[in-house]
């Protein structure tokens, strides 16, 4: 990751490392509760609602190359079950660790004349800017990894009926009688034939009755 630009110390996800200095082994512990940024999680699946509280516990450790950040984020995630579409909530705990490098030091902590010459290496690294670092990219990655890709309301959720949409977990015996359309067509044809025979029988009896009456006369 390329060097950050113009970090704002007022941003709740921006942290200051000046108290550590560059004394390898120096440590600092921080706790902070922030409002969740927008789209924190798996969009359209499950995530932390924007503005919801996120508790951060951090340990900052000064090393030769920069500042090693180790921490845990805790929050409440919301989404919907992928099987029955019922809303669900779960407690989220995401652990993370990342080195934020000094912009003027290489991987061994040695000062280099022109930092950032190797663009490909910089893309995979996080950098301090004036002693500040932005935790948001690291937090987003950690939250995504901690959330389930296919959240369910319960492990044995049976989902929905494909025909009527009923929630099968509420009625495990729910079913629909399967009808073979070929038999249904034959049954309809048989019914038509029976109705026709009845009509013929009723229609044929009338002339006979009239004939008997004429003979009697």
């Amino acid at each position: 990751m390329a060097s950050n630009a113009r970090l704002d110390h007022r941003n709740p996800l921006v942290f200051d490392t000046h108290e550590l200095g560059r004394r390898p082994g120096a440590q600092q512990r921080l706790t902070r509760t922030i409002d969740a940024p927008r789209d924190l999680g798996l969009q359209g699946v499950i995530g932390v609602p924007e503005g919801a509280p996120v508790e951060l516990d951090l340990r900052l450790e000064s090393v030769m190359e920069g500042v090693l950040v180790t921490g845990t984020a805790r929050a409440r995630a919301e989404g919907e079950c992928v099987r029955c579409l019922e809303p669900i909530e779960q407690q989220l705990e995401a652990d993370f660790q990342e080195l934020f490098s000094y912009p003027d030091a290489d991987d061994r902590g040695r000062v280099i004349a022109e930092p950032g010459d190797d663009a490909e290496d910089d893309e995979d690294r996080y950098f301090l800017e004036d002693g500040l670092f932005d935790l948001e990219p690291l937090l987003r990655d950690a939250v995504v990894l901690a959330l389930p890709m296919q959240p369910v309301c319960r492990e044995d959720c049976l989902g929905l009926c494909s025909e009527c949409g009923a929630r099968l977990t509420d009625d495990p015996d729910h079913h629909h009688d399967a009808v073979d359309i070929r038999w249904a067509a034959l049954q309809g044809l048989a019914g038509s034939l029976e109705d026709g025979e009845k009509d013929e029988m009723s229609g044929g009896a009338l002339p006979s009755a009239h004939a008997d009456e004429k003979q009697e006369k």
Side-chain angles (χ1 to χ4, degrees), residues 146-172:
L147 289 171
M149 298 294 291
Q150 300 287 323
V152 292
C153 59
R154 47 190 286 183
E155 291 300 325
D156 59 349
C157 176
L158 299 177
L160 302 176
C161 173
S162 60
E163 295 189 33
C164 68
R167 190 166 182 262
L168 298 179
T169 303
D170 297 334
D171 184 10

Side-chain angles (χ1 to χ4, degrees), residues 50-123:
E50 182 177 1
V54 179
E55 298 178 3
L56 300 173
D57 291 327
L58 304 179
R59 186 186 73 211
L60 313 184
E61 181 180 359
S62 179
V63 296
M64 290 293 294
E65 301 90 346
V67 176
L68 182 65
V69 178
T70 304
T72 301
R74 299 179 181 86
R76 176 180 50 83
E78 297 180 359
E80 66 178 26
C81 176
V82 296
R83 297 178 187 170
C84 68
L85 306 182
E86 286 291 309
I88 58 176
E89 292 185 3
Q90 72 172 59
Q91 288 301 121
L92 166 73
E93 186 168 306
D95 297 322
F96 49 86
Q97 185 177 70
E98 188 60 58
L99 174 66
F100 287 83
S101 300
Y102 297 126
D104 59 348
D106 65 7
D107 291 336
R108 299 183 189 82
R110 298 177 303 192
V111 175
I112 55 180
E114 296 182 5
D117 283 346
D118 193 335
E120 292 184 1
D121 289 344
D122 287 352
E123 289 180 358

